[in-house]
Amino acid sequence: MAEATTRTLGRELAQLRTLRQQTLRTVAEAAEISGAYLLKLERDDVQAPSPHVLRRLAEHFGVSYLALMQLAGYEVTDEDRQESKPGVLADALLAEPLTPNEERAVAAFLATLRSQSRHSSA
């Protein structure tokens, strides 16, 4: 059985960017930060990222701001968590961390699916 990796803010951000096939520059511009700072975030080199940056990243990726806050080490209360309800797919993906091989497989599957969708709707 493959060993799962620990979820960190950096791994989550890198995974989101990879799944959406976006460049560092695209995401950095959307979050109004530099590509170098985003790379530091993805490498978990930043100890306390600004909540404002996390908000912009969450909005860009369409993910839970509170989840990113929690991964960044900020305290999130049970009351806060009740306000943020992920969908079924998010629940399944968050149930346990993906291994690096699983991340690559999911990313490849989504890329293929999206490519097929683009070609069939064109």
Side-chain angles (χ1 to χ4, degrees), residues 12-66:
E12 189 78 9
L13 292 174
Q15 181 181 9
L16 287 165
R17 187 171 61 78
T18 300
L19 287 172
R20 287 164 175 77
Q21 299 179 325
Q22 295 179 341
T23 64
L24 278 168
R25 183 180 190 144
T26 300
V27 176
E29 286 176 359
E32 300 174 25
I33 57 176
S34 71
Y37 186 70
L38 178 58
L39 189 57
K40 286 181 181 183
L41 286 171
E42 288 187 1
R43 291 181 177 167
D44 290 313
D45 290 341
V46 179
Q47 296 302 309
S50 161
H52 299 291
V53 169
L54 296 176
R55 166 78 65 198
R56 290 190 298 264
L57 287 166
E59 288 173 358
H60 174 74
F61 287 124
V63 298
S64 166
Y65 167 67
L66 293 175

Side-chain angles (χ1 to χ4, degrees), residues 1-2 7 9 11 17-18 28-29 35 37 39 48 52 55-56 67-68 81 92 95 98 100-101 104-105 114 116:
M1 183 168 137
R7 278 184 75 213
L9 176 64
R11 284 190 187 114
R17 187 171 61 78
T18 300
E29 286 176 359
Y37 186 70
L39 189 57
H52 299 291
R55 166 78 65 198
R56 290 190 298 264
L68 294 185
R81 280 189 206 103
L98 297 175
N101 285 340
R104 285 188 291 276
R114 288 177 177 159
Q116 290 171 348

Side-chain angles (χ1 to χ4, degrees), residues 66 76-84:
L66 293 175
V76 177
T77 66
D78 288 338
E79 183 178 298
D80 292 333
R81 280 189 206 103
Q82 289 174 359
E83 293 175 12
S84 175

